[in-house]
Amino acid sequence: MKLTSDELRKKWINFFKERGHTPISSASLIPENDPTVLFTTAGMHPLVPYLLGQPHPAGKRLCDTQKCVRTGDIDEVGDASHCTFFEMLGNWSLGDYFKDEMVPWSYEFLTEQLGLDPARLAVTVFEGDSDCPRDEQTAALWEKCGIKKENIFYLGKKHNWWGPAGQTGPCGSDTEMFYDTGKPKCCAECSPACDCGKYVEIWNDVFMQFNKNADGSFSPLKQKNVDTGMGLERALMNVQGLKSVYDTDVFVPIVKKIEQLSGKSVTDENSVRAIRVVADHIRTSTFIIGDERGVTPSNVDQGYILRRLLRRAIRFGAGLGLKSGDYSAIAGVVVDIYAEAYPELAAAREKIMHEIDEEQARFERTLENGMKEFDKLCKYLQTDIIAGKSAFRLYDTYGFPLEMTVELAKERGFKVDVDGFNARFEEHRNLSHAGAEQRFKGGLADTGELTARLHTATHLMHKALKDVLNDPTVNQRGSNITPERLRFDFSFGRAMTAEEVKAVEDKVNAAIKADVPVTCEEMTVDEAKAQGAVGLFASKYGEKVKVYTMGEYSKEICGGPHANRTGELGHFKIVKEQSSSAGVRRIKAVLE
């Protein structure tokens, strides 16, 4: 079946609309008031409150196409199936249907809508443990649909359990669907758990019925949910019988542009990986910068990931012969491909290209400084070996990949302690992972009283900032809330004065003192706009949203936890106002 990305999106939405699901818009790549992740990594992230039982304005059955970014497998990018940005086709049941409905629908969509050969489908189900029993029900449903018994595999938690997104939250067993590529089995026990490439994952149905508690125990959720996810790029690859996601229509024009600019070709085995890395990283960077809450390159949080993606693309591109201006030209092709599906990219075209050009210029200056550091290092070496810690400093501070340091050292008659570098790199990665784990302590999954109060305070502060700074460009660009404090990023081109900080505090505290009720109404996006509500208006026409009103002090679209009255908040205090990235300021505040 020859199926384009646009046709696949439409097939997905129409299939589930016919089964009573309401299509909802893709959420921002930058999670709102959620410190659990830097980026939206799955369609369920914006829906955590509703998976925990909060009513969704669009009902109990939902479907969408969600923008996602994951960088955990960045070293695998360049193979046939890994990407750092991808579109996740998703559908949800919020306490409505469960396994009996979802498994047959999955089979029907794969075989009838996508035309996949049932004989080449393989599925995995949960083998069971002390927390949750063996999922014989799902296996029986698959067999009833027509999946051969020998193609049904029982696997443990490592492979067939999803969540929670952090240390606590909704989770459950899942069933995953794979397509047999036709490659021979790597061993007698070969299964979808193998990394041999015989099986490629297409779809994942998660049956959320537990909440993981802080002590590691599991308790039943108030409602059973279904949460599914199909990667659009991998599905296209399988449906079209292609060898890689980079052969699909979302990548082909990008790859062709790189080939045109570089004079290299993906048919050259020495160039194919670099071309794919540049294509992937520039596509991801385009989406991050062009997002409704888009960030710019910096040394912290999302901006840091963006910077590393761009600089990694530039490093690989340099080996292809790409020059200044080429990367923004590639980004322009990305915008053209996705302009209809994600119009926010077209609106931000100039910003995207400008930021990429600026980061390339910054990186070139950094590399120039790095060369000076490398020269100095070689000048004072007492042996013929560059220490691992020195090679890692060149990597971490100046963006020198290990291969570049090794090549430069070889030219001058030196060697590099590669094992020492790898040890430092692993130590750095472990620290990064530990830091990431600290993010899983609050956010939308945390509906505790302290978090709800701070969340409510962000609304009051947002409105106060708009009033005090009297600048129409002042808008929320990100928020991170824990039970201890709030962190709020907003667009503004200069540091606030002490008087302005005090004025914002005073306005928020006046709203708290007024002790007005925090009310919630469900309305369409157009109705919210007409009432002057603040928020992202990326939702589809007619889609319902929740609008929280606090007297005359705030009216904002939101899905997070809130206090019942402003008087519950206590005293609001800004503890720091600083730069976050170019054109973005950051406030840290507490409730005393």
Side-chain angles (χ1 to χ4, degrees):
M1 180 186 291
K2 187 66 176 176
L3 190 69
T4 67
S5 54
D6 188 53
E7 289 168 343
L8 177 53
R9 292 186 198 101
K10 289 176 181 175
K11 269 185 179 290
W12 179 269
I13 296 299
N14 289 336
F15 181 84
F16 285 102
K17 277 179 69 176
E18 290 170 1
R19 287 151 185 79
H21 293 66
T22 301
I24 58 175
S25 298
S26 170
S28 168
L29 273 176
I30 316 301
E32 179 188 12
N33 300 318
D34 190 350
T36 63
V37 284
L38 287 175
F39 293 103
T40 298
T41 62
M44 60 79 65
H45 278 137
L47 296 173
V48 168
Y50 312 108
L51 293 168
L52 290 172
Q54 188 181 132
H56 194 285
K60 292 185 175 183
R61 298 187 179 194
L62 312 173
C63 61
D64 75 351
T65 304
Q66 174 63 49
K67 301 179 290 186
C68 298
V69 166
R70 294 180 189 172
T71 58
D73 295 329
I74 193 169
D75 291 332
E76 305 301 320
V77 171
D79 67 4
S81 60
H82 284 89
C83 305
T84 53
F85 170 86
F86 60 95
E87 295 178 79
M88 185 67 82
L89 304 171
N91 69 282
W92 292 271
S93 164
L94 306 175
D96 190 357
Y97 60 83
F98 207 49
K99 297 176 183 179
D100 285 341
E101 294 84 358
M102 193 61 238
V103 171
W105 286 346
S106 299
Y107 184 82
E108 181 183 352
F109 189 83
L110 291 171
T111 57
E112 296 184 20
Q113 296 295 313
L114 299 189
L116 294 178
D117 181 359
R120 292 174 62 185
L121 287 173
V123 299
T124 60
V125 294
F126 186 54
E127 70 178 9
D129 62 13
S130 59
D131 297 320
C132 184
R134 184 177 173 92
D135 196 355
E136 301 280 6
Q137 180 188 358
T138 297
L141 287 167
W142 280 123
E143 196 172 350
K144 185 178 179 181
C145 286
I147 300 291
K148 297 177 183 176
K149 199 163 189 173
E150 60 266 29
N151 287 342
I152 301 173
F153 300 83
Y154 286 92
L155 298 174
K157 266 205 175 81
K158 179 181 177 182
H159 297 283
N160 278 87
W161 186 274
W162 199 98
Q167 292 175 349
T168 62
C171 56
S173 63
D174 66 19
T175 181
E176 299 185 6
M177 290 142 270
F178 297 80
Y179 206 50
D180 189 337
T181 63
K183 291 182 179 180
K185 289 188 175 184
C186 65
C187 62
E189 302 300 319
C190 187
S191 78
C194 297
D195 293 324
C196 64
K198 179 173 176 59
Y199 300 98
V200 176
E201 184 183 346
I202 309 173
W203 197 355
N204 183 6
D205 292 349
V206 181
F207 303 119
M208 288 188 173
Q209 57 192 102
F210 296 100
N211 188 72
K212 186 176 181 182
N213 305 309
D215 62 2
S217 64
F218 294 86
S219 54
L221 286 173
K222 294 178 183 176
Q223 61 187 34
K224 290 183 178 181
N225 307 300
V226 172
D227 163 29
T228 90
M230 174 187 285
L232 178 139
E233 292 86 352
R234 289 188 182 185
L236 280 175
M237 177 182 73
N238 285 297
V239 170
Q240 296 179 7
L242 301 172
K243 292 183 178 179
S244 91
V245 294
Y246 297 94
D247 297 327
T248 63
D249 67 298
V250 294
F251 269 114
V252 167
I254 307 171
V255 168
K256 285 184 176 178
K257 185 67 174 179
I258 296 169
E259 290 178 319
Q260 174 200 331
L261 292 169
S262 68
K264 302 293 195 301
S265 171
V266 287
T267 59
D268 177 4
E269 63 180 21
N270 295 318
S271 300
V272 61
R273 180 166 182 257
I275 290 173
R276 288 175 173 180
V277 168
V278 172
D280 171 82
H281 289 8
I282 295 299
R283 184 175 78 136
T284 304
S285 299
T286 298
F287 269 92
I288 293 173
I289 299 169
D291 189 81
E292 303 95 329
R293 289 196 183 95
V295 299
T296 53
S298 71
N299 289 325
V300 295
D301 296 336
Q302 291 96 344
Y304 176 73
I305 301 298
L306 172 60
R307 171 159 285 166
R308 296 303 290 268
L309 284 166
L310 283 172
R311 293 188 174 189
R312 198 166 189 265
I314 294 166
R315 291 206 311 263
F316 276 88
L320 296 169
L322 294 178
K323 304 178 295 295
S324 297
D326 288 348
Y327 303 95
S328 58
I330 297 165
V333 175
V334 178
V335 173
D336 292 339
I337 293 169
Y338 288 99
E340 183 176 347
Y342 300 101
E344 64 269 20
L345 295 185
R349 179 189 292 268
E350 288 186 13
K351 175 188 174 186
I352 292 165
M353 299 179 78
H354 171 75
E355 290 296 341
I356 289 175
D357 284 339
E358 284 289 301
E359 185 59 21
Q360 181 178 3
R362 282 191 290 263
F363 188 35
E364 287 171 352
R365 291 194 294 270
T366 299
L367 286 177
E368 185 178 338
N369 292 332
M371 280 303 303
K372 293 177 183 176
E373 187 69 20
F374 182 82
D375 291 339
K376 191 190 305 180
L377 176 66
C378 292
K379 182 179 179 181
Y380 293 104
L381 270 181
Q382 301 296 313
T383 70
D384 64 347
I385 297 177
I386 294 176
K389 66 178 181 181
S390 299
F392 181 76
R393 182 168 181 269
L394 286 169
Y395 165 79
D396 192 48
T397 305
Y398 299 103
F400 275 39
L402 178 61
E403 310 84 63
M404 182 175 171
T405 303
V406 170
E407 288 172 11
L408 289 170
K410 187 177 180 181
E411 289 173 7
R412 304 191 188 198
F414 298 110
K415 297 178 181 178
V416 177
D417 177 10
V418 175
D419 290 340
F421 172 90
N422 289 333
R424 289 274 175 165
F425 183 84
E426 191 63 27
E427 181 183 337
H428 170 77
R429 183 159 58 181
N430 290 337
L431 286 172
S432 297
H433 286 175
E437 284 299 314
Q438 294 306 307
R439 298 185 176 280
F440 295 93
K441 289 188 174 179
L444 294 178
D446 181 359
T447 57
E449 186 178 345
L450 295 174
T451 302
R453 289 177 183 176
L454 284 161
H455 187 107
T456 307
T458 62
H459 289 249
L460 297 174
M461 183 177 66
H462 193 186
K463 179 62 164 63
L465 284 166
K466 286 177 173 291
D467 291 345
V468 170
L469 299 177
N470 194 28
D471 184 333
T473 67
V474 170
N475 282 299
Q476 178 178 343
R477 296 295 292 275
S479 180
N480 180 298
I481 298 174
T482 71
E484 293 79 32
R485 58 101 182 105
L486 69 83
R487 196 183 73 197
F488 187 86
D489 291 354
F490 62 101
S491 49
F492 195 53
R494 63 169 175 80
M496 292 173 63
T497 66
E499 290 76 17
E500 287 169 338
V501 170
K502 178 66 164 54
V504 169
E505 285 181 339
D506 289 345
K507 278 187 169 289
V508 173
N509 284 315
I512 293 172
K513 187 177 180 180
D515 192 25
V516 297
V518 179
T519 61
C520 177
E521 294 178 274
E522 294 181 2
M523 61 184 73
T524 66
V525 172
D526 275 15
E527 289 169 339
K529 282 183 180 179
Q531 291 191 19
V534 173
L536 291 182
F537 293 105
S539 303
K540 295 181 179 72
Y541 175 79
E543 190 172 330
K544 284 197 170 185
V545 293
K546 288 187 175 184
V547 177
Y548 285 86
T549 303
M550 304 173 207
E552 60 184 22
Y553 302 100
S554 172
K555 185 181 288 287
E556 190 161 340
I557 295 174
C558 189
H562 295 79
N564 294 315
R565 302 183 67 87
T566 60
E568 298 173 6
L569 272 56
H571 185 265
F572 175 79
K573 182 175 178 57
I574 294 175
V575 295
K576 185 178 288 187
E577 191 275 344
Q578 63 191 112
S579 173
S580 173
S581 59
V584 178
R585 305 297 298 176
R586 171 169 291 175
I587 281 178
K588 293 181 180 178
V590 295
L591 291 172
E592 301 174 325

